[in-house]
Amino acid sequence: NKLKAEDPDKVVDIESQDETIGYEFTTAQIREFRKVFSAFDKDGNNSIGTEELGPVLRALGYSPSESDIQKVLSRFDSDLSGDLSFEEYLALMAVWVEE
């Protein structure tokens, strides 16, 4: 998925590792998600690790256990890096938006 902010009407199809998620984001939504992502990316490495993912999930209204955090990470960490990149985070947001 290529994210380009120059077209305000651009939508992005989000896919997770195991399924296509039927949701598209506008560029404005992506900008907002980027702000939130950056706020939770405490170490500034452009990814959200397990220590940062817990607060993200709590901000979305969940009370995740360590096991829940690992399950979310294994579902959305499509490159198996152990962290969520911004695109992987968007896949998580697509599921959250649909709920």
Side-chain angles (χ1 to χ4, degrees):
N1 293 336
K2 303 261 185 199
L3 305 179
K4 295 184 179 179
E6 55 271 0
D7 179 0
D9 298 321
K10 172 78 175 151
V11 293
V12 178
D13 289 317
I14 303 301
E15 297 178 13
S16 72
Q17 179 175 348
D18 55 350
E19 64 187 89
T20 298
I21 298 167
Y23 197 84
E24 296 179 338
F25 293 123
T26 65
T27 302
Q29 287 173 306
I30 291 169
R31 273 192 225 109
E32 287 303 309
F33 286 132
R34 173 61 80 180
K35 287 180 192 174
V36 173
F37 179 87
S38 295
F40 284 106
D41 178 19
K42 298 294 184 194
D43 58 10
N45 67 348
N46 292 316
S47 67
I48 293 178
T50 54
E51 292 177 7
E52 298 159 324
L53 186 54
V56 170
L57 296 174
R58 283 188 278 287
L60 296 174
Y62 301 103
S63 299
S65 66
E66 198 58 40
S67 172
D68 295 330
I69 292 169
Q70 288 303 320
K71 286 176 189 172
V72 169
L73 190 60
S74 67
R75 177 174 178 193
F76 294 100
D77 181 19
S78 60
D79 64 2
L80 304 176
S81 66
D83 296 326
L84 293 183
S85 67
F86 182 64
E87 285 189 349
E88 293 164 339
Y89 169 81
L90 284 179
L92 172 60
M93 293 299 97
V95 169
W96 178 75
V97 167
E98 284 190 341
E99 289 182 352

